[in-house]
Amino acid sequence: MSHILVVDDELSYRKGIVYGLQRAGHTIAEAESKQQASEQLRSNNFDIVVLDLCVPTERDGLDILAMVKTEQKNAIVLMTTAHGTIERAVEAIKAGADDFITKGFTTEELQFRLQRLLDEHRLRAEHRQLADENERLRREVQTRFRFEHIIGASSAMSRALKMLERIVDDADSTVLLRGENGTGKELFARAIHYNGPRKDKPFVVVNCSALPEHLLESELFGYEKGAFTGATRDKQGKLETADSGTLFFDEIGEVSQKVQVELLRFLQDHTFERVGSNTQITVDVRVVAATNKNLEQEVKQGRFREDLFYRLNVIPLNIPPLRERKEDIPLLVEHFVSAMEKEKGRRIRFSNEALARLEAHAWNGNVRELENLVERLVVTAEHELITPADLPQEFSADEEKQAFQQAMDRRSLKEASDEFERMFLLRNLEKHHWNITELANAIGERRDTLSRKIKRYKLKSE
């Protein structure tokens, strides 16, 4: 039920409205003058104001209407008017009233009109909220894919970012992103779109490795009703959906020879036909493609068309694997920890030794593998400080290989032995959280001997 203010200087008429609305379950306040209306508006919040246009003021009820719109701009205003003041009622609508009703109405008619206004007001509010949310999401997406959100200060990453800066302002040239799985090819593709001239238009992703040939074809080009069994209506393909925006072909190296021919034809003049149709459709899109394959090798082996390769490779952009940009690992770790702190509600930090282990790792899964590891540790780590003891077993193996190589490079057996002993002590001290007594008992060594060796090798906890 609603909170309603009834403003009318005619006592009997006002009481009739108040009585009918109260019986319907609404909470009612009333006023007979501009001053009383002002007092009510200052002390209460109203969903609806039922206002007589002829309340005596300098401009009749229009003065009160202006006051309502100033004091409570979200309140619905229904003007009541006599037959001879319709023109004034229209003036009130222009001044901000939501509707008017001619006097002589029944309580049921008033209830119906008020309910309709409430429904319309709710729908408008929902539409505004949806529009605001869409605008917020649009700004969030554009902010998320700005260049500073592509993390990296290494020389390899700097080269890729400089190329990115040079190509985003171009609206048409085809870009081929090359890099291993997990390097962030889609992140680069979105950065190209959301920082370029087409940023307010669609960004459409086609995952070429996820669909078999016959489904990929209809997904790309769309189809006409009756083109095949199950085609019960016309359907737009992703090429049409992306019109005026950017079309991102992820893993373009996975498409079949048949689809390659059709893509080549499309890239030449941006025209195509829906499956089951002979009608030419033209779209305006920027094409960005990505692959983890060596397309030159695929061409040599006859698995990828050479002419399609050259059509795609107009602007090549190579994204380095994580093993070639290991100096970026601390930056990436900090970025992932900060993002997950908000999501998971927990903050962790990595010791220098733990970061060193991460930098020594091979990272076959690249940045995605690192992100997954950080998430796992944020969720499962027992302590806020992540040490090498908290890392999975393969990271210890990495360090042992590195330690072995370092020891092999020593000039004498004594130096090699010392290197192994230092690494052994460091690993086990971290495992036992630098409890020297506990470690001494675990490895069968005297505590004072351990203390001397820790001092000798200058081992310190963080």
Side-chain angles (χ1 to χ4, degrees):
M1 293 294 103
S2 302
H3 193 191
I4 300 174
L5 172 63
V6 179
V7 185
D8 197 311
D9 62 318
E10 292 186 35
L11 178 62
S12 60
Y13 212 92
R14 186 176 72 248
K15 289 298 183 182
I17 295 174
V18 169
Y19 177 71
L21 292 177
Q22 284 178 333
R23 288 192 62 187
H26 299 287
T27 301
I28 308 299
E30 54 184 300
E32 65 175 358
S33 65
K34 181 179 178 181
Q35 181 179 351
Q36 288 184 7
S38 177
E39 291 170 357
Q40 289 286 2
L41 290 167
R42 285 199 301 268
S43 57
N44 296 282
N45 289 319
F46 294 101
D47 302 306
I48 301 171
V49 176
V50 179
L51 171 60
D52 179 23
L53 182 58
C54 296
V55 174
T57 66
E58 290 183 9
R59 299 172 59 237
D60 296 333
L62 293 180
D63 288 341
I64 301 175
L65 171 62
M67 183 173 60
V68 172
K69 288 301 176 182
T70 300
E71 296 287 338
Q72 298 189 24
K73 61 182 179 180
N74 292 324
I76 297 169
V77 179
L78 176 64
M79 306 296 295
T80 64
T81 179
H83 286 285
T85 56
I86 298 299
E87 289 184 1
R88 296 281 285 156
V90 172
E91 185 181 350
I93 295 293
K94 292 178 180 178
D98 294 277
D99 200 357
F100 69 89
I101 186 169
T102 305
K103 285 188 172 181
F105 51 80
T106 64
T107 300
E108 289 74 18
E109 288 173 333
L110 178 61
Q111 280 271 65
F112 175 79
R113 189 70 64 90
L114 292 178
Q115 188 58 53
R116 189 184 71 182
L117 287 172
L118 284 167
D119 291 342
E120 291 174 353
H121 189 266
R122 177 180 54 80
L123 287 173
R124 285 197 299 270
E126 289 176 356
H127 288 158
R128 284 196 301 271
Q129 183 179 3
L130 184 60
D132 291 345
E133 179 68 9
N134 287 340
E135 177 62 19
R136 184 191 66 78
L137 289 173
R138 186 184 67 81
R139 289 196 303 267
E140 183 179 295
V141 166
Q142 290 183 352
T143 300
R144 181 182 172 192
F145 296 108
R146 287 163 60 188
F147 291 170
E148 56 262 39
H149 292 279
I150 299 178
I151 308 299
S154 63
S155 57
M157 201 60 177
S158 295
R159 286 193 296 272
L161 288 171
K162 285 179 182 177
M163 174 63 80
L164 188 60
E165 289 174 354
R166 289 197 292 268
I167 67 178
V168 291
D169 290 334
D170 181 90
D172 303 307
S173 297
T174 301
V175 179
L176 180 61
L177 302 172
R178 311 185 70 168
E180 298 175 7
N181 287 335
T183 51
K185 296 188 291 295
E186 184 170 339
L187 184 63
F188 268 76
R190 291 183 181 274
I192 290 170
H193 174 76
Y194 288 110
N195 290 275
R198 299 176 184 264
K199 63 185 178 183
D200 294 320
K201 304 301 181 181
F203 178 82
V204 178
V205 179
V206 179
N207 190 337
C208 300
S209 63
L211 296 170
E213 177 184 300
H214 67 286
L215 290 180
L216 179 60
E217 188 177 15
S218 60
E219 187 77 7
L220 276 175
F221 304 107
Y223 52 80
E224 295 288 309
K225 179 179 178 181
F228 50 82
T229 303
T232 57
R233 57 180 178 82
D234 294 348
K235 181 180 182 298
Q236 272 194 353
K238 293 202 170 185
L239 301 187
E240 287 179 80
T241 304
D243 191 20
S244 75
T246 300
L247 189 63
F248 175 48
F249 291 99
D250 195 15
E251 301 305 343
I252 191 70
E254 301 293 337
V255 297
S256 67
Q257 291 281 344
K258 182 176 184 296
V259 175
Q260 286 180 37
V261 172
E262 294 170 337
L263 280 179
L264 177 63
R265 188 180 303 120
F266 168 71
L267 289 173
Q268 287 170 346
D269 53 17
H270 284 197
T271 62
F272 63 96
E273 299 168 0
R274 288 181 180 176
V275 177
S277 172
N278 295 320
T279 303
Q280 291 283 317
I281 299 173
T282 302
V283 293
D284 171 30
V285 297
R286 182 178 195 176
V287 172
V288 178
T291 182
N292 64 353
K293 291 189 173 183
N294 184 329
L295 290 186
E296 293 90 342
Q297 191 64 32
E298 294 292 301
V299 168
K300 288 180 181 179
Q301 296 180 0
R303 291 193 291 264
F304 200 85
R305 292 183 62 96
E306 186 175 23
D307 45 6
L308 177 57
F309 169 66
Y310 289 125
R311 284 282 180 184
L312 293 170
N313 200 41
V314 177
I315 301 178
L317 198 165
N318 296 313
I319 304 174
L322 191 53
R323 62 180 174 276
E324 293 179 8
R325 45 180 292 226
K326 289 191 173 182
E327 57 266 52
D328 291 333
I329 286 176
L331 293 175
L332 289 164
V333 167
E334 178 61 27
H335 172 72
F336 294 142
V337 167
S338 296
M340 291 172 193
E341 177 185 16
K342 299 174 185 176
E343 180 183 345
K344 309 292 185 183
R346 186 183 181 205
R347 175 76 174 177
I348 62 170
R349 60 189 181 92
F350 284 70
S351 70
N352 290 335
E353 289 85 356
L355 287 173
R357 295 273 182 99
L358 298 185
E359 292 184 34
H361 189 59
W363 297 111
N364 294 324
N366 289 296
V367 177
R368 189 179 300 131
E369 181 187 357
L370 175 61
E371 183 178 13
N372 291 342
L373 173 66
V374 172
E375 181 176 2
R376 184 194 321 168
L377 292 171
V378 168
V379 173
T380 63
E382 295 181 5
H383 310 281
E384 180 178 321
L385 179 65
I386 302 298
T387 69
D390 298 304
L391 300 177
Q393 182 62 38
E394 61 263 28
F395 290 87
S396 296
D398 287 335
E399 188 195 35
E400 287 164 3
K401 290 176 186 176
Q402 188 179 45
F404 179 77
Q405 185 59 51
Q406 290 172 347
M408 292 294 289
D409 291 340
R410 299 298 179 185
R411 287 173 296 178
S412 68
L413 179 61
K414 176 70 167 58
E415 288 180 337
S417 176
D418 286 348
E419 180 66 24
F420 275 121
E421 186 172 52
R422 188 187 74 81
M423 296 303 296
F424 173 83
L425 288 175
L426 180 59
R427 177 182 175 186
N428 282 280
L429 281 166
E430 290 168 343
K431 183 178 179 180
H432 291 276
H433 300 287
W434 290 81
N435 187 322
I436 299 175
T437 301
E438 184 180 304
L439 176 58
N441 293 333
I443 65 175
E445 184 63 87
R446 288 171 55 90
R447 191 185 188 286
D448 56 345
T449 302
L450 273 183
S451 296
R452 285 197 303 274
K453 290 185 177 183
I454 290 169
K455 185 176 181 180
R456 175 189 169 192
Y457 292 124
K458 299 179 181 179
L459 301 179
K460 295 180 181 179
S461 64
E462 292 204 2

